[in-house]
Amino acid sequence: MIKLYTSSLRAKIFLGFTVILLIMFLAAIWSIYNFYRLNESINLTMQENYSSIIAADNIGKALDDQLHGLTLMYNQNFEEGEKLFEKSKEDFFYWYDKARKSAYTQEEKNILDSLNYEYDNFLKYLYNNIDYKIYINKKGKAFNIEFVTIVNQIKDIKKKSNKILEINHQLLNKAVDNTKTITQTATFFIVVILLGAIFISIVFSTKFSNYVVRPLNKLRKSVEHISEGNFNEKIEIDENSDEINSLAEEFNKMSEKLQKYEQLNLSKILFEKKKSELVIESMNEPVLMVDENLNVLLTNKSFNEIFKDVLNDKSKLNKLLNLSGLENKAENQDQDIYHDKEIVVVKDKDGSRKYFKMIEASLNIPEKEMKGTVYVFNDITKYQELDKMKSEFVAKVSHELKTPLTSMGMAIGIIEDGVAGELTDKQKELITSIKEDYERLNKLVYEILELTKLEANRNRIKFENFEARKLLEHVFKKFEPIAKEKNIELKVSDFSEGAMIKGSYDHMISAIENLIYNSIKFTPNNGKISVEQKVENGKINIIISDTGIGISPENLKKIFDKFIQIDDISPGSLGLGLSIAKEIIEIHDGEIKAFSQLGKGSTFQIIIPAA
């Protein structure tokens, strides 16, 4: 039946609601009808019985008034008594007619007829035997006897009217009982009908909802299969639902497009994968990819050749990737693979070394919970060799320059002291200029040799434990006289509280001296320099601040680089002092930072671990 008339989902839903509403409407109509019957029955009963009760009550009242009128006449109030008697007689007949009309039971009619008959006899007897003239004729004794008889007659008539009241009360009680019965019956049937309607509605709604939802469930299951990647699956079309049919057709079209798109993407992915593999395989640099558990996912030919012993040994792989916390110490250089700062060093069997700069990139796909890391080992062996050759060349040149510079210094001193003869003022000026150039050149040669020595022997420097406060004590003793010459206030504050440093005392003094020497050099007269030392989070902080000329933001980024000329500081200066300080601090596993504002001074911060 439904299939014949419901070709769309909208029609199905409309039909379902219509049936449920129709059932509820019929139940409501039945309830209204029963309550209407009940109301009509109550109204009819109340009207009839109430009219009879009112009439009977008024008949009794009229009889009482007639008795009162006779009593007035008996007491010789003839005019008022007769007037009251006549009025109450009229009331009697009026209410008797009302009672006769409203009487609908035969018993009540018979009583009324008997009451009317007795009342007529009473009137005849009254008019024939009693007259107020009796009192005039002084027949009071006879009247007394007749008055008693009349009162008894009225009482008998009133009993008849009371009987009517009793009958109507009984009828009223019967009507109330009948109303209760009707109410209970109607309530029972209404409850049964409502429960039946609810049951039918639930059954119908369940069946109907299943009928409506069935094609949607099929559609959902098909969509779930498609979402899992089964793009070949087609959604079955429900011939009895235009909306589902249209939706299924659109999903089938989308599935076809997704299938084509997936094939296209797979082709692109395979192409890109093949291309990436070819590119990686053709790279001269070793390439390694591992997952979060350090399982090898990808390597190229170069990696397999150079690090062949690492692939099947996770401990060696840990060391290669520096995940085991390997320290940069000299004893580790005996191993086949070790780290030198940020450089991976690989020793061949013939003793030669290859140097690689490791570049790391993380790969994270949250949707698939996939994590990995790609490592590219950039071969910098040639650059390391060139740097070594450069360092050796600079060291040799500096060493070769040191001997003639020493001779030049001695010669300048002899000439300046006048041993070779008296000097004119012009000659003294020339000797002073030569001496300044000699001192600058000698300092440069010393710094070059010192920096070369640090780079070559950074893993051979002997460390010892010493108190941090000794650094500032030395600084204050050495630089206070120099600061006073320029009228510079030198303030040294030590809050290290007995902290110890594990390192080279001489090299740390050299690094701090370079920084304070620059502060004094570039701080004008009447300036201020403060040196503060404190312990924070297990590390020693040394902060050197001055009110000097400052450094521009552009030059601040490169002040620690070697052989870089900083125009803000001193034209022609190669700035090796800061490079030496940085090298020393890094040897102690620390870091150095610079903060400055041009024209307002500079601040250098040294952070090194406490012992």
Side-chain angles (χ1 to χ4, degrees):
M1 186 83 177
I2 294 178
K3 291 185 178 179
L4 294 175
Y5 298 104
T6 57
S7 59
S8 67
L9 184 62
R10 182 183 299 174
K12 293 175 183 177
I13 296 172
F14 178 75
L15 176 62
F17 277 107
T18 301
V19 171
I20 293 172
L21 290 174
L22 182 61
I23 293 172
M24 300 306 294
F25 177 74
L26 291 175
I29 292 296
W30 175 254
S31 302
I32 293 170
Y33 170 70
N34 278 279
F35 281 112
Y36 175 76
R37 284 180 56 213
L38 179 63
N39 184 59
E40 288 296 317
S41 176
I42 292 172
N43 287 339
L44 182 62
T45 302
M46 292 298 293
Q47 287 176 3
E48 291 174 349
N49 290 108
Y50 185 73
S51 298
S52 296
I53 290 171
I54 293 297
D57 186 61
N58 282 294
I59 288 173
K61 186 178 179 182
L63 291 172
D64 289 337
D65 288 343
Q66 289 180 25
L67 182 60
H68 182 61
L70 290 173
T71 302
L72 290 174
M73 287 189 290
Y74 178 77
N75 292 317
Q76 298 183 6
N77 191 354
F78 303 109
E79 186 177 354
E80 185 177 351
E82 186 177 10
K83 185 178 179 181
L84 179 59
F85 183 84
E86 291 299 325
K87 182 180 181 303
S88 59
K89 184 178 72 173
E90 292 176 0
D91 290 340
F92 175 86
F93 286 115
Y94 173 79
W95 288 110
Y96 172 79
D97 290 337
K98 288 281 186 181
R100 192 68 179 77
K101 289 178 181 178
S102 61
Y104 65 95
T105 64
Q106 189 61 41
E107 183 183 6
E108 188 176 359
K109 291 178 181 179
N110 292 336
I111 293 173
L112 286 170
D113 291 341
S114 175
L115 184 147
N116 185 43
Y117 176 76
E118 289 183 8
Y119 188 71
D120 288 339
N121 291 334
F122 163 72
L123 291 177
K124 289 178 182 179
Y125 178 82
L126 180 67
Y127 285 122
N128 291 331
N129 296 291
I130 297 178
D131 192 356
Y132 66 90
K133 294 178 180 181
I134 294 173
Y135 282 91
I136 298 173
N137 296 326
K138 296 183 178 180
K139 293 181 179 181
K141 186 176 181 181
F143 179 78
N144 289 338
I145 297 172
E146 295 299 334
F147 185 79
V148 172
T149 302
I150 291 169
V151 169
N152 290 331
Q153 288 181 351
I154 291 174
K155 287 182 178 179
D156 291 337
I157 296 170
K158 192 171 182 181
K159 287 181 181 179
K160 298 285 185 181
S161 67
N162 290 337
K163 184 67 175 178
I164 294 171
L165 285 173
E166 291 177 2
I167 291 172
N168 278 280
H169 278 298
Q170 291 175 359
L171 290 174
L172 188 60
N173 291 332
K174 186 177 180 180
V176 170
D177 294 337
N178 186 39
T179 301
K180 286 182 180 179
T181 303
I182 293 173
T183 303
Q184 292 174 355
T185 305
T187 303
F188 174 76
F189 279 105
I190 289 170
V191 170
V192 171
I193 291 172
L194 286 176
L195 291 176
I198 292 171
F199 176 75
I200 294 171
S201 299
I202 292 173
V203 173
F204 181 81
S205 300
T206 304
K207 297 291 184 181
F208 184 76
S209 62
N210 290 335
Y211 177 73
V212 172
V213 172
R214 191 181 302 115
L216 294 177
N217 285 332
K218 290 182 180 179
L219 179 62
R220 179 183 58 79
K221 291 179 180 179
S222 300
V223 171
E224 286 178 354
H225 292 158
I226 292 173
S227 66
E228 292 172 357
N230 301 319
F231 299 118
N232 293 324
E233 181 166 342
K234 300 296 180 183
I235 299 175
E236 295 181 5
I237 296 176
D238 187 358
E239 297 179 356
N240 297 312
S241 180
D242 293 340
E243 290 85 353
I244 302 298
N245 185 17
S246 301
L247 186 59
E249 288 179 354
E250 293 300 322
F251 267 104
N252 288 335
K253 291 178 183 179
M254 181 185 70
S255 178
E256 292 176 1
K257 291 181 180 179
L258 287 174
Q259 186 177 5
K260 293 178 182 179
Y261 183 71
E262 184 191 31
Q263 292 174 352
L264 179 63
N265 280 346
L266 285 174
S267 299
K268 287 183 178 180
I269 290 170
L270 289 173
F271 175 76
E272 293 295 330
K273 180 177 180 294
K274 196 68 178 177
K275 184 173 69 173
S276 300
E277 288 177 350
L278 289 173
V279 170
I280 292 172
E281 193 64 29
S282 62
M283 288 174 62
N284 291 326
E285 288 82 1
V287 178
L288 168 69
M289 182 178 180
V290 295
D291 62 11
E292 56 184 341
N293 297 318
L294 214 63
N295 296 315
V296 177
L297 302 178
L298 176 68
T299 59
N300 65 350
K301 183 179 179 181
S302 298
F303 185 89
N304 294 334
E305 290 176 353
I306 298 172
F307 301 100
K308 56 185 177 180
D309 296 334
V310 173
L311 293 175
N312 299 320
D313 192 337
K314 280 195 176 182
S315 61
K316 290 184 178 181
L317 189 59
N318 269 327
K319 293 177 182 179
L320 172 63
L321 303 179
N322 202 23
L323 300 176
S324 59
L326 198 64
E327 297 181 356
N328 300 322
K329 298 298 180 183
E331 55 266 21
N332 293 321
Q333 295 188 12
D334 295 332
Q335 299 178 2
D336 294 336
I337 299 173
Y338 64 92
H339 286 260
D340 184 10
K341 295 179 69 175
E342 298 177 355
I343 299 172
V344 178
V345 183
V346 180
K347 291 175 64 176
D348 290 339
K349 292 180 179 180
D350 58 359
S352 62
R353 288 179 174 84
K354 286 188 176 181
Y355 300 88
F356 297 92
K357 186 173 182 61
M358 189 170 64
I359 302 171
E360 177 183 345
S362 297
L363 178 66
N364 186 8
I365 304 176
E367 295 82 3
K368 298 294 184 181
E369 296 184 355
M370 295 175 61
K371 293 181 180 180
T373 308
V374 178
Y375 297 93
V376 178
F377 297 83
N378 191 9
D379 191 348
I380 57 171
T381 304
K382 292 181 179 180
Y383 302 106
Q384 287 292 109
E385 291 175 352
L386 287 173
D387 187 66
K388 184 178 179 182
M389 290 172 62
K390 179 264 299 178
S391 298
E392 291 176 353
F393 172 76
V394 171
K396 288 180 181 179
V397 170
S398 300
H399 189 269
E400 291 298 324
L401 286 173
K402 191 172 182 180
T403 301
L405 279 173
T406 302
S407 300
M408 288 174 61
M410 292 175 63
I412 291 171
I414 292 171
I415 295 172
E416 186 179 24
D417 292 339
V419 176
E422 292 293 330
L423 299 176
T424 63
D425 293 338
K426 186 65 175 177
Q427 289 172 338
K428 287 181 181 180
E429 290 178 2
L430 290 173
I431 291 298
T432 301
S433 178
I434 293 171
K435 186 178 179 180
E436 290 176 355
D437 290 337
Y438 157 76
E439 289 176 351
R440 186 166 59 251
L441 184 59
N442 190 51
K443 182 175 181 297
L444 177 59
V445 170
Y446 169 79
E447 288 178 345
I448 292 173
L449 288 173
E450 183 68 19
L451 184 59
T452 305
K453 193 186 300 181
L454 284 171
E455 291 176 345
N457 302 308
R458 61 178 298 147
N459 293 320
R460 296 184 179 89
I461 297 175
K462 292 183 179 181
F463 282 7
E464 60 183 358
N465 289 336
F466 61 90
E467 292 186 62
R469 63 178 180 81
K470 290 184 177 181
L471 295 176
L472 298 196
E473 289 176 358
H474 174 84
V475 165
F476 187 74
K477 290 178 182 178
K478 182 173 181 178
F479 289 99
E480 185 187 23
I482 301 173
K484 282 185 177 180
E485 289 182 5
K486 293 185 67 176
N487 200 22
I488 293 174
E489 179 185 351
L490 177 62
K491 183 180 180 181
V492 178
S493 303
D494 179 37
F495 303 102
S496 61
E497 299 178 352
M500 303 293 289
I501 298 175
K502 185 177 181 180
S504 172
Y505 176 78
D506 293 334
H507 285 88
M508 284 298 299
I509 286 292
S510 176
I512 296 173
E513 283 181 351
N514 276 321
L515 296 175
I516 297 177
Y517 174 78
N518 284 335
S519 292
I520 292 175
K521 181 178 179 181
F522 299 111
T523 298
N525 294 343
N526 301 316
K528 292 181 180 180
I529 298 174
S530 66
V531 183
E532 181 181 325
Q533 184 171 253
K534 58 185 177 179
V535 180
E536 290 182 352
N537 300 322
K539 294 185 178 182
I540 296 174
N541 283 257
I542 303 173
I543 302 170
I544 302 169
S545 302
D546 62 53
T547 57
I549 61 176
I551 307 169
S552 64
E554 295 80 12
N555 289 326
L556 192 63
K557 299 176 182 178
K558 54 186 179 181
I559 58 172
F560 294 110
D561 295 341
K562 304 170 189 176
F563 306 108
I564 298 297
Q565 180 175 323
I566 307 298
D567 296 336
D568 296 336
I569 297 176
S570 178
S573 172
L574 296 179
L576 288 179
L578 293 178
S579 300
I580 291 170
K582 182 175 183 290
E583 189 74 21
I584 292 172
I585 299 304
E586 289 181 351
I587 289 172
H588 287 76
D589 294 328
E591 61 178 327
I592 183 170
K593 301 177 182 179
F595 311 92
S596 183
Q597 190 173 356
L598 197 62
K600 293 188 177 181
S602 304
T603 298
F604 289 86
Q605 183 181 14
I606 296 172
I607 304 172
I608 57 174

